[in-house]
Amino acid sequence: MSVTLKDVAALAGVSRSAVSRTFTEGASVSAKTRSKVEKAAQTLGYSPNALASSLTTGRTKLIGLISNNFHNPIFLEVFDQFTRALQERGLRPLIVNLTDETEPANSVRMLRQYSVDAVIVASSTLPPSFAKAFHDAGVPVVHTFGRSATSPEVHVVGIDNVESGRMAARELLARGYKRIGYLGGPKDATSARDRYRGFMEEVEKHPSIAVSYSFADNYSFEAGRAEMLRLLQGTPAEGYFCGDDILSIGALSALSDHGLKPGIDIGIIGLNDMEMSRWESVALTTIHQPIKQIITSSVDLVEEMLKDPKRYPEARIFPCRVIERGTLRPRP
Amino acid sequence: MSVTLKDVAALAGVSRSAVSRTFTEGASVSAKTRSKVEKAAQTLGYSPNALASSLTTGRTKLIGLISNNFHNPIFLEVFDQFTRALQERGLRPLIVNLTDETEPANSVRMLRQYSVDAVIVASSTLPPSFAKAFHDAGVPVVHTFGRSATSPEVHVVGIDNVESGRMAARELLARGYKRIGYLGGPKDATSARDRYRGFMEEVEKHPSIAVSYSFADNYSFEAGRAEMLRLLQGTPAEGYFCGDDILSIGALSALSDHGLKPGIDIGIIGLNDMEMSRWESVALTTIHQPIKQIITSSVDLVEEMLKDPKRYPEARIFPCRVIERGTLRPRP
DNA sequence: GGAAGTTTTGCAACCGATTGCAAGTTTCAT
DNA sequence: ATGAAACTTGCAATCGGTTGCAAAACTTCC
């Protein structure tokens, strides 16, 4: 069927080793054989079977990319960045869509069957234990957007979620909001909990401030909208920190239903700064999470681990910053 | 390092063949050996190396998934559906992000190196020749969202883009718009051209109707917005068919800048019916493209091709229908 | 020209599985 | 108990490559 090493060797009149060597970086071949081989390979249309070679080399260049955020548009950006960053380095993403399950066992088994060189868990909602399961199975792993504090056994790249919560609280307070609220992602997501913690920590320094909180069912437009609609049935706060831009946009939609103007009637600050938040019709004031840097750094880290799988675990934390748009009242 | 067939065989006290056979469907093993092997495998934590077995079986269950639409949110839905559908059937998506190139040679080579069993080209902008390159290289291929008419050599699953153009035109005419326009995707995308063709074909039956057209730079919010802003500098038409929901949403944003109300001042009809179009703040009237059915059918087709790689090429065309929301004036 | 040093080459074993074949074991009817 | 038929099993070759090792082929230098 397809053309193999042997065919090329035969045509070029050399041994199979010679052919193998012309296709492996830094192997010893004379210019003469190399050119003979290359010509033969050319005419036969040969290209080496990466999977076969992985058998002996132990490297597949396959990287498992696991996620469960398929309803948050930010993830398209994340996907785009990841696939590109991996491709640029000659690595191949093998996707796992975890939409309905959070049990690592299956994914671990499957990814081991395919001998992935490493795994990237790209999710802010999966627990550290999920990533750790790969580590325990001997698979190098990076948890991007993961929780840093409590997972010393696994590489984590992302932001300090607690600090981002504080930052949001400070921002709302600086704008003079007196009754503020946290509208977070799903209660069991580490990111939602950490942001909550930071937010509360900061607010509690100011006893005069009234604070409330609630958690949406997941990081999605619908969940954000539903939660804000619920809040609007009672007495809403003056300003909200929504734990993610997509929640914010859902919340904005709820406000609009009630004829409320964001930034005027009710303040909203999000987190992520996704493309959509920049749209003029959205103009969301938000905390910028440096997605691109986080992803590049994650892939860098993956490469490091390919060289040294026992690399000492590390947390790479990137700072966030507030992006001023139109959904908070101006600072006084 | 990792535990292999041999280790299990040794522990279970049987030959390697016996182990292999207990792990392959429908092979001949006695209940006794099977249980011995399973126990040994259990204690060792063995699971077969899919790549090694692919060497002899010639099947990897790896499916190349190629796309270039990483700036259209619809693609997140597409991605979600594809990865799930493949997973459910025990197939593994190997992603290729084609953002900057349209030259098939590289992708073909790479995917052949990884011995993918088949390739799915998920793009409405790549030409039929792109998909054909895989066919020519002997790789089974399905072009999802591809152009059906002129590519008899490759399986295509999608909609009839020409007909969708006609449908849009009929809808605008039925609402009594007298000056209508097509705001399409990139000029070199087959989908944009076919929709244009159908649109014009239908309009030309009505000589009294004034028609105009233009093409956005790509299928993105920014491109749609930019193009509509440009149109608004002159004398815009009364109703537009935007060749994709994301273009429509970009266009809506432009209208809003000019204080124009969609459905009242200017009509907009999109195509796709993506999640976002259902958001109350968007409420886009659009032509529903049955994404889920298209994707399921594509993966079905992939499975068929695994059984019979020489399967006679087929176009699977799914009907669309208009979804009435708020961006067209009501039918009289 | 020849010794020593450096490169290049092919052989053969190996990576982790599968599978045709023949020998060994069961089953079962007689 | 016997023989034929049906299952199981292990051997050994194979899939498409890589790589350590020793032999062969070049260089270099005197």
Side-chain angles (χ1 to χ4, degrees):
Chain A
M1 177 68 217
S2 82
V3 12
T4 75
L5 207 68
K6 202 161 59 179
D7 305 325
V8 179
L11 179 59
V14 298
S15 74
R16 288 156 56 238
S17 334
V19 180
S20 169
R21 283 193 258 256
T22 68
F23 283 96
T24 52
E25 203 73 15
S28 157
V29 243
S30 67
K32 193 152 45 131
T33 22
R34 150 156 281 135
S35 81
K36 272 195 298 187
V37 169
E38 273 168 354
K39 193 143 70 75
Q42 190 71 34
T43 69
L44 258 40
Y46 167 79
S47 70
N49 180 329
L51 268 22
S53 73
S54 85
L55 251 193
T56 33
T57 61
R59 285 234 164 322
T60 55
K61 303 205 168 211
L62 251 24
I63 306 292
L65 182 53
I66 306 185
S67 191
N68 61 349
N69 296 340
F70 283 81
H71 286 278
N72 188 345
I74 186 75
F75 194 63
L76 190 54
E77 300 174 41
V78 168
F79 236 160
D80 185 27
Q81 303 283 351
F82 259 125
T83 50
R84 293 165 76 153
L86 289 169
Q87 276 175 199
E88 277 166 16
R89 291 163 164 86
L91 301 171
R92 310 291 161 203
L94 197 56
I95 306 291
V96 177
N97 180 340
L98 224 54
T99 306
D100 311 308
E101 61 167 331
T102 51
E103 188 49 53
N106 276 335
S107 314
V108 171
R109 189 160 34 72
M110 185 242 120
L111 289 171
R112 282 197 12 172
Q113 287 185 344
Y114 280 85
S115 322
V116 293
D117 287 348
V119 163
I120 296 168
V121 177
S123 168
S124 71
T125 61
L126 291 169
S129 62
F130 185 93
K132 188 161 171 301
F134 288 89
H135 171 86
D136 293 347
V139 181
V141 55
V142 172
H143 191 169
T144 304
F145 307 119
R147 167 185 264 185
S148 59
T150 60
S151 46
E153 283 155 307
V154 154
H155 293 276
V156 173
V157 184
I159 61 171
D160 180 337
N161 282 308
V162 178
E163 174 56 24
S164 75
R166 288 190 208 106
M167 183 180 279
R170 281 195 298 268
E171 198 61 35
L172 288 171
L173 296 176
R175 315 276 176 147
Y177 292 106
K178 300 298 179 204
R179 286 178 300 112
I180 66 181
Y182 172 63
L183 198 174
K187 235 191 311 292
D188 51 352
T190 58
S191 56
R193 285 210 299 270
D194 289 347
R195 288 165 198 174
Y196 166 75
R197 195 146 60 82
F199 189 79
M200 287 310 197
E201 211 175 287
E202 191 68 29
V203 176
E204 280 162 9
K205 294 184 193 162
H206 306 264
S208 65
I209 300 297
V211 65
S212 61
Y213 64 90
S214 60
F215 295 90
D217 289 341
N218 49 58
Y219 282 121
S220 73
F221 175 89
E222 290 304 341
R225 178 178 151 82
E227 190 54 33
M228 182 53 84
L229 283 176
R230 208 182 57 73
L231 292 171
L232 290 174
Q233 294 197 325
T235 314
E238 299 166 6
Y240 284 95
F241 169 38
C242 294
D244 186 284
D245 282 5
I246 192 64
L247 290 177
S248 309
I249 292 174
L252 289 177
S253 155
L255 294 189
S256 140
D257 274 26
H258 282 245
L260 297 169
K261 295 253 173 295
I264 296 172
D265 300 315
I266 285 190
I268 298 276
I269 181 168
L271 191 155
N272 253 348
D273 191 23
M274 65 181 186
E275 280 178 18
M276 203 179 296
S277 306
R278 286 165 227 158
W279 294 359
E280 286 74 1
S281 43
V282 177
L284 179 67
T285 295
T286 191
I287 295 178
H288 174 81
Q289 173 169 218
I291 300 280
K292 185 157 187 165
Q293 287 81 348
I294 289 172
I295 290 177
T296 308
S297 179
S298 300
V299 177
D300 285 347
L301 198 45
V302 163
E303 276 202 304
E304 304 284 342
M305 293 181 75
L306 298 184
K307 291 186 205 131
D308 172 17
K310 298 271 164 256
R311 197 171 209 279
Y312 197 79
E314 173 182 346
R316 297 188 175 183
I317 304 303
F318 288 81
C320 294
R321 64 177 202 279
V322 174
I323 304 285
E324 171 86 42
R325 295 203 182 90
T327 57
L328 280 192
R329 72 160 80 117
R331 282 171 181 256
Chain B
M1 176 68 216
S2 85
V3 14
T4 77
L5 207 63
K6 202 162 60 178
D7 306 325
V8 179
L11 180 59
V14 297
S15 74
R16 286 155 59 238
S17 333
V19 180
S20 170
R21 283 193 258 257
T22 68
F23 282 95
T24 53
E25 204 72 14
S28 158
V29 242
S30 68
K32 196 153 41 132
T33 22
R34 151 157 279 133
S35 80
K36 271 196 298 190
V37 169
E38 274 168 353
K39 192 143 70 75
Q42 189 71 33
T43 69
L44 258 39
Y46 168 78
S47 69
N49 180 329
L51 268 24
S53 72
S54 85
L55 250 192
T56 32
T57 60
R59 286 231 161 328
T60 55
K61 304 206 167 211
L62 251 24
I63 307 292
L65 182 54
I66 306 186
S67 190
N68 61 349
N69 296 339
F70 284 81
H71 286 278
N72 189 344
I74 186 75
F75 194 64
L76 190 54
E77 300 174 41
V78 169
F79 236 161
D80 186 28
Q81 302 283 351
F82 260 125
T83 51
R84 291 164 77 152
L86 289 170
Q87 275 176 198
E88 277 166 16
R89 292 162 163 85
L91 301 172
R92 309 291 160 204
L94 197 56
I95 306 291
V96 177
N97 181 340
L98 224 53
T99 306
D100 311 308
E101 62 167 330
T102 51
E103 188 48 54
N106 276 336
S107 315
V108 170
R109 188 161 34 74
M110 186 238 120
L111 288 171
R112 280 196 13 172
Q113 287 185 343
Y114 280 84
S115 321
V116 294
D117 288 347
V119 163
I120 296 168
V121 177
S123 168
S124 71
T125 60
L126 291 168
S129 62
F130 186 93
K132 188 161 170 299
F134 289 90
H135 171 86
D136 293 347
V139 180
V141 56
V142 173
H143 191 169
T144 303
F145 307 119
R147 168 186 262 183
S148 58
T150 60
S151 45
E153 284 156 303
V154 152
H155 293 276
V156 174
V157 184
I159 61 172
D160 181 339
N161 282 308
V162 179
E163 175 57 24
S164 75
R166 290 192 206 104
M167 184 180 278
R170 281 196 297 267
E171 199 61 34
L172 288 171
L173 296 176
R175 314 275 175 147
Y177 292 105
K178 300 297 179 204
R179 288 178 298 112
I180 67 182
Y182 172 64
L183 197 175
K187 236 194 308 295
D188 52 350
T190 58
S191 57
R193 286 210 299 270
D194 289 347
R195 288 166 198 173
Y196 166 76
R197 194 146 60 81
F199 188 79
M200 288 311 199
E201 210 176 286
E202 192 67 29
V203 176
E204 279 161 9
K205 293 183 190 161
H206 306 264
S208 66
I209 300 297
V211 66
S212 62
Y213 63 90
S214 60
F215 296 90
D217 289 340
N218 50 56
Y219 283 122
S220 74
F221 175 90
E222 290 304 341
R225 177 180 153 83
E227 190 52 35
M228 182 53 84
L229 283 177
R230 207 183 56 73
L231 292 171
L232 290 174
Q233 295 197 324
T235 316
E238 299 166 4
Y240 283 95
F241 168 39
C242 294
D244 186 282
D245 282 6
I246 192 64
L247 290 178
S248 311
I249 293 174
L252 289 177
S253 154
L255 294 189
S256 140
D257 274 25
H258 281 242
L260 297 168
K261 294 254 173 295
I264 296 172
D265 301 315
I266 286 191
I268 300 277
I269 180 169
L271 191 157
N272 253 347
D273 191 22
M274 65 181 184
E275 280 178 17
M276 205 181 294
S277 306
R278 286 166 225 158
W279 295 0
E280 286 73 1
S281 43
V282 176
L284 179 68
T285 296
T286 190
I287 296 179
H288 174 81
Q289 172 168 221
I291 301 280
K292 184 157 187 166
Q293 286 82 348
I294 289 172
I295 289 176
T296 309
S297 180
S298 300
V299 177
D300 286 347
L301 197 46
V302 164
E303 276 202 303
E304 305 283 344
M305 293 181 75
L306 297 185
K307 292 186 204 130
D308 173 17
K310 297 269 164 259
R311 197 169 207 280
Y312 197 79
E314 175 183 345
R316 298 188 173 181
I317 303 302
F318 288 80
C320 295
R321 62 177 204 280
V322 174
I323 305 286
E324 170 87 41
R325 294 204 182 92
T327 56
L328 281 192
R329 72 160 79 117
R331 283 171 179 257

